[in-house]
Amino acid sequence: MIQISNLTKSYGKQALYNNVTLSIGPREKVGFVGRNGSGKSTLFRLILKEEQPDSGIISIPKGYKIGTLEQHLKFTRKTVLDEVATALSEDEIYDHWKVEKILFGLGFTEPDMEKPPEGFSGGYQIRMNLAKLLVQNPHMLLLDEPTNYLDIVSLRWLKDWLRAFQGEVIIITHDRGFMDEVTTHTMGVVRRQIRKLKGDTITFFETLDHEAEIHEKTRVHQEKRIKEIEEFVARNLARASTAGRAQSRLKLLDKMERIEKLDHDAMLAFRFNHVKCPGKVVMEACNLSFSYNGNPDNALFKDLTFTVEAHDRIAIIGKNGKGKSTLLNLLAGEIKPLSGGISTHPATKIGHFGQTNIQRLNLECNVLDELNRSNPSLNNQRLRSLAGAMMFPGDAAEKKIRVLSGGERSRVLLGKILANPTNLLLLDEPTNHLDMESIEELTEQLDEYEGSVILVTHSEMILRDIVTKLIVFNKENAQLFLGTYDDFLENIGWDDGKC
């Protein structure tokens, strides 16, 4: 068990926590929520003694082992299997089956075991670090965004692993569905305090909203009472017969502890700029095939045919590396198919959120400049309104792209899409780097959007909330599935060797 007492931490004038006291009990699995920059990762560094608090104590029992997901990539062995096995304890040093079981769960294959770690993508190298952490069996796991770089199959395996884990867990993730399926408690940074409650994120946020509502009603009642007292004093202080009572009321006012308005975090607040398309079919793909080297034998997908109708919500799903983002880029016209074709209605207007699009943001431009590049016809007032909707109010709209975090750059790219009217959105992992509240707002707006949506996502919550059709990448090809994500799980699923 970890005990935190009177913890205070600031960076310059920014106070993160003030006299925080809480504990993590045996077998508790705690989801840690809060805005980006609110201090979630800082608490991890304080627990690991990588930073020191301004004041307060973090008590950790003697011999209590804490494991955390390393973002630093450094490998010393020639094969994946040997590299991950370096994390085994002395008693388990030869238990390669334990290592293999975890690596298989995280998406590695039998041939991968003997490959050099440096030959894998950054995402798979992070998975190796996650595997190293899981084979250690520490008393507590500190997991900061472990769902990044994992596909749906690996996410489902990790959920099961964490649910069966016998120790304590604190997990930071933007994937609310994943968090709620794993955790027993939720805690969050709330006005420089850390609140921890039993239950999922729904219970946590509903409790905070209820408390805020009671606080505001009490504050309004107090303001009304104060006004009544002030009016009584104004009427009676100058009259000798009532001056004593007026003085008594003044003393009451002086002793009264005023209830202040609660401060609230900035929120994404927008609606997609929709333009109507008169056609029933917005886009049609016919016999699409694609290969990066032009060889049909190495095609990522072959003869894929589907139509995108008005109001469709289509998700592209499958393991990483199968071609999901490639298909989306092909639909956006950024690359050409090996064979087949794509036709669109003349009135189709596309908004494309792609990972490569984020990389194309001009690092020397500020937020307003980037929004203006997307639509030069917008005046300064409209640009600032857009920036404010993306949580860049006032001077923040003049920040250079190069100083922005990943989440802030994602919001800029989203703003560039909002700058133009659309009726078809192509979105590649639009929730990456966004905090939980922003993801919820984005999901709600996608649900209410009057146009069509095709998206790549690993969030099973989003898949269940809005998707009506699927394009499924399996071992050999990609194919259209007519139905919801739950229909897919019931009729095909991830565990039958097809995907």
Side-chain angles (χ1 to χ4, degrees), residues 56-101:
I57 298 171
I58 300 177
S59 300
I60 301 172
K62 188 176 180 180
Y64 188 83
K65 185 179 178 182
I66 299 175
T68 189
L69 178 58
E70 292 286 345
Q71 300 297 323
H72 181 63
L73 301 172
K74 183 179 180 181
F75 305 114
T76 61
R77 297 294 188 269
K78 293 182 179 180
T79 70
V80 170
L81 183 62
D82 289 341
E83 180 61 40
V84 176
T86 61
L88 288 168
S89 66
E90 290 185 11
D91 295 338
E92 299 177 313
I93 195 64
Y94 298 110
D95 190 357
H96 281 194
W97 168 236
K98 178 180 179 181
V99 176
E100 288 181 343
K101 188 166 59 173

Side-chain angles (χ1 to χ4, degrees), residues 1-2 24 27-28 44 47-49 59-70 84-93 98 131-143 161 165-170:
M1 183 173 103
I2 286 182
I24 307 296
R27 300 284 299 277
E28 287 186 354
F44 278 15
I47 291 172
L48 294 167
K49 302 190 184 304
S59 300
I60 301 172
K62 188 176 180 180
Y64 188 83
K65 185 179 178 182
I66 299 175
T68 189
L69 178 58
E70 292 286 345
V84 176
T86 61
L88 288 168
S89 66
E90 290 185 11
D91 295 338
E92 299 177 313
I93 195 64
K98 178 180 179 181
K132 282 183 176 181
L133 172 60
L134 299 185
V135 301
Q136 292 175 36
N137 283 334
H139 296 95
M140 170 177 276
L141 293 170
L142 299 182
L143 299 175
W161 194 96
F165 178 62
Q166 297 299 302
E168 291 76 62
V169 178
I170 306 178

Side-chain angles (χ1 to χ4, degrees), residues 302-472:
K302 299 177 182 178
D303 302 322
L304 177 61
T305 296
F306 62 93
T307 59
V308 183
E309 299 181 357
H311 310 299
D312 266 350
R313 299 291 185 269
I314 303 174
I316 305 173
I317 62 174
K319 288 186 176 182
N320 286 349
K322 290 290 187 179
K324 302 186 299 297
S325 296
T326 300
L327 175 57
L328 205 69
N329 290 335
L330 197 152
L331 298 177
E334 296 196 353
I335 54 177
K336 301 296 182 184
L338 180 66
S339 60
I342 300 168
S343 59
T344 58
H345 190 281
T348 298
K349 300 292 183 183
I350 294 175
H352 181 210
F353 183 108
Q355 300 306 314
T356 56
N357 297 44
I358 292 178
Q359 295 163 14
R360 293 176 200 163
L361 295 173
N362 189 326
L363 299 180
E364 297 309 313
C365 283
N366 63 30
V367 174
L368 292 174
D369 293 335
E370 274 295 335
L371 296 177
N372 188 53
R373 285 176 63 197
S374 183
N375 188 347
S377 69
L378 297 180
N379 60 33
N380 187 64
Q381 182 179 354
R382 175 59 179 149
L383 289 172
R384 285 197 171 273
S385 176
L386 261 180
M390 294 297 101
M391 297 163 58
F392 296 105
D395 292 343
E398 298 177 22
K399 284 184 176 181
K400 293 287 184 73
I401 301 300
R402 57 180 163 78
V403 305
L404 300 183
S405 67
E408 289 171 324
R409 294 184 190 191
S410 292
R411 298 203 305 268
V412 172
L413 183 55
L414 186 57
K416 289 170 73 74
I417 293 174
L418 295 173
N420 294 283
T422 61
N423 44 46
L424 174 59
L425 298 176
L426 305 178
L427 308 176
D428 189 358
E429 292 287 0
T431 60
N432 275 3
H433 307 295
L434 295 182
D435 56 48
M436 199 172 282
E437 291 87 346
S438 297
I439 290 172
E440 192 163 326
E441 178 64 21
L442 175 60
T443 305
E444 186 174 320
Q445 292 309 317
L446 288 177
D447 189 40
E448 295 181 3
Y449 180 58
E450 295 179 41
S452 308
V453 179
I454 306 176
L455 79 160
V456 175
T457 181
H458 298 312
S459 168
E460 292 191 293
M461 177 174 282
I462 292 176
L463 290 173
R464 288 191 168 99
D465 282 351
I466 69 171
V467 170
T468 56
K469 298 178 184 176
L470 300 166
I471 296 173
V472 183

Side-chain angles (χ1 to χ4, degrees), residues 106-231:
L106 293 175
F108 291 87
T109 63
E110 184 72 44
D112 291 339
M113 298 299 109
E114 299 305 317
K115 293 179 180 178
E118 293 82 4
F120 289 83
S121 67
Y124 270 87
Q125 290 181 359
I126 291 290
R127 291 191 195 196
M128 291 179 216
N129 278 357
L130 179 56
K132 282 183 176 181
L133 172 60
L134 299 185
V135 301
Q136 292 175 36
N137 283 334
H139 296 95
M140 170 177 276
L141 293 170
L142 299 182
L143 299 175
D144 194 345
E145 296 293 357
T147 61
N148 285 356
Y149 308 109
L150 296 183
D151 52 40
I152 292 179
V153 179
S154 299
L155 284 172
R156 289 167 69 84
W157 177 88
L158 184 58
K159 280 181 198 174
D160 291 338
W161 194 96
L162 289 173
R163 280 195 288 251
F165 178 62
Q166 297 299 302
E168 291 76 62
V169 178
I170 306 178
I171 182 171
I172 299 168
T173 176
H174 61 268
D175 190 332
R176 185 169 181 171
F178 180 92
M179 179 181 284
D180 284 346
E181 289 190 50
V182 167
T183 56
T184 61
H185 295 69
T186 304
M187 72 180 186
V189 183
V190 183
R191 302 179 188 91
R192 292 168 294 283
Q193 287 291 311
I194 298 180
R195 293 284 305 279
K196 189 185 84 168
L197 299 172
K198 189 172 183 179
D200 58 16
T201 55
I202 295 174
T203 302
F204 182 83
F205 288 117
E206 283 182 348
T207 301
L208 294 188
D209 288 344
H210 181 64
E211 291 175 352
E213 184 180 345
I214 292 173
H215 179 97
E216 182 60 15
K217 286 180 178 178
T218 306
R219 187 192 67 80
V220 170
H221 178 76
Q222 186 191 63
E223 277 194 351
K224 182 180 178 182
R225 176 65 176 148
I226 289 171
K227 186 177 180 180
E228 290 172 350
I229 293 173
E230 288 174 340
E231 289 174 349

